[in-house]
Amino acid sequence: MRLFLISFFILLTACADRLAVPVSDGPVAGGDEQTILVASLRDSMGTDWFTGERAETLSFLDVDVAIPPERDTGQLRLHRHANVDPAKYFTITDRQDYDSRRAFSRAIQNQMKDVPRDQQDLVIYVHGYNNSFADGVFRAAQMAHDFDITGAMLHFSWPSAANSLGYTYDRDSVLYSRDGLEETLRAAADANPRRIILIGHSLGTMLVMETLRQIEIKSPGWADRTLGGVVLISPDLDVDLFQAQARRFAELPQPFVIFVSNKDRALQLSAMINGYHPRLGGLESAEELSEFPLTLIDVSEFAEGLGPQHFTVGTSPALIKILGAGSELQSAFDEDRAARSGLLPGTVITAQRATQVILSPLLLTQ
């Protein structure tokens, strides 16, 4: 077991400078460009970009990200140097800073001003453990591009150490960042988008739940009134803790979707680190969550490779095709759980208020 852990950590840290931000002059022929709004609680420590250190106040900005043409759907190609080939790797081409929360809210509005009102969705992505500033921004850009998000994409960048040995630091940073995410969510609401979809990944799901819980205590019903959906991807979150957090809500915002996989090695490692206590992202049954109105989507059969298993939703071309279906699938989520299950290729199990969908790639060809 010790050899496995050492090998795993070496694999995760086998890169050049985790804090380097690749830049370029613009997308190459055949490439695309995606604007990502960013609220960051990272400190720049006197550098041009952001480190893993904690800042006392939020920074608001947006960045233009060049999407390389030489990539497959779901593929996030990164290079740990400041200057790289934009034909092969994700790069940042421009940056705009905002000096206040109000100015940031106006920037969110401006991102959507040319989009029809019925498409003015704001998607907020909260990254997970062991992410640098560039890691999170590029993942947000990849999702916005591959899922063809027509509204605006906002990334909340909390101060992860971007080090595989920094798990405890990252968990503390999650708690440190609750007020920052709350301020970001309220700034997003001030922009008056048609709908706000909040997405958390891995350890970032703890930040999502802790922040929504503290808002619920202060402003009962705010999340249910304000958010148009919550998505937890591979949540590195103790099951008992999630239940305690969810019980604090008068009603969870809808839809509330949790993507799980029993092949997620990162969550298996987290369970070992945390005394073999089950993680929410590794649940194989909705029975433990039956009291809550939510949908558990099992994507185990789509997992491939080592790293992508912890973000199957965003890296599997087949899943992106299903989940990016657009208006038809979204309408089903808005209306009722029974309708949505008919649009997803898999087995559907109902456990009181919860619905479990076990997706199968074999059914895609039937």
Side-chain angles (χ1 to χ4, degrees), residues 179-302:
D179 291 348
L181 180 55
E182 176 177 352
E183 183 177 353
T184 300
L185 290 173
R186 293 188 183 277
D190 290 344
N192 192 33
R194 182 183 76 104
R195 177 169 51 194
I196 298 173
I197 307 297
L198 179 58
I199 300 175
H201 173 238
S202 185
L203 196 58
T205 62
M206 180 185 289
L207 176 54
V208 166
M209 290 302 298
E210 280 292 297
T211 301
L212 293 183
R213 179 182 182 276
Q214 80 173 28
I215 295 176
E216 184 74 11
I217 294 171
K218 182 177 181 180
S219 308
W222 185 90
D224 188 38
R225 293 190 305 269
T226 308
L227 301 181
V230 174
V231 179
L232 306 183
I233 300 173
S234 306
D236 185 5
L237 185 59
D238 183 275
V239 175
D240 293 340
L241 176 57
F242 172 77
Q243 292 171 327
Q245 292 165 329
R247 288 178 185 133
R248 190 60 183 82
F249 292 77
E251 196 67 46
L252 287 176
Q254 294 298 306
F256 197 102
V257 181
I258 304 174
F259 286 93
V260 301
S261 171
N262 59 29
K263 296 181 180 179
D264 191 323
R265 298 184 189 179
L267 292 182
Q268 292 168 3
L269 176 60
S270 177
M272 286 190 285
I273 293 173
N274 289 283
Y276 291 93
H277 214 269
R279 315 312 287 169
L280 182 63
L283 276 186
E284 297 185 38
S285 170
E287 286 291 336
E288 292 187 62
L289 307 178
S290 60
E291 65 185 278
F292 306 112
L294 52 79
T295 299
L296 198 72
I297 301 182
D298 190 328
V299 296
S300 300
E301 295 307 311
F302 290 82

Side-chain angles (χ1 to χ4, degrees), residues 19 25 82 96 126 130 132 136 138 151 163 195-196 213 222 247 267 275 282 325 364:
L19 299 178
D25 294 331
Q96 173 69 50
V126 182
N130 191 20
S132 69
F138 290 154
N163 188 317
R195 177 169 51 194
I196 298 173
R213 179 182 182 276
W222 185 90
R247 288 178 185 133
L267 292 182
L364 293 177

Side-chain angles (χ1 to χ4, degrees), residues 316-352:
S316 166
L319 266 181
I320 290 173
K321 183 177 180 180
I322 296 171
L323 302 174
S327 58
E328 186 182 16
L329 185 59
Q330 183 58 58
S331 296
F333 270 105
D334 290 343
E335 292 169 4
D336 63 82
R337 287 176 288 151
R340 83 186 63 156
S341 63
L343 289 173
L344 294 173
T347 303
V348 180
I349 303 171
T350 300
Q352 296 183 37

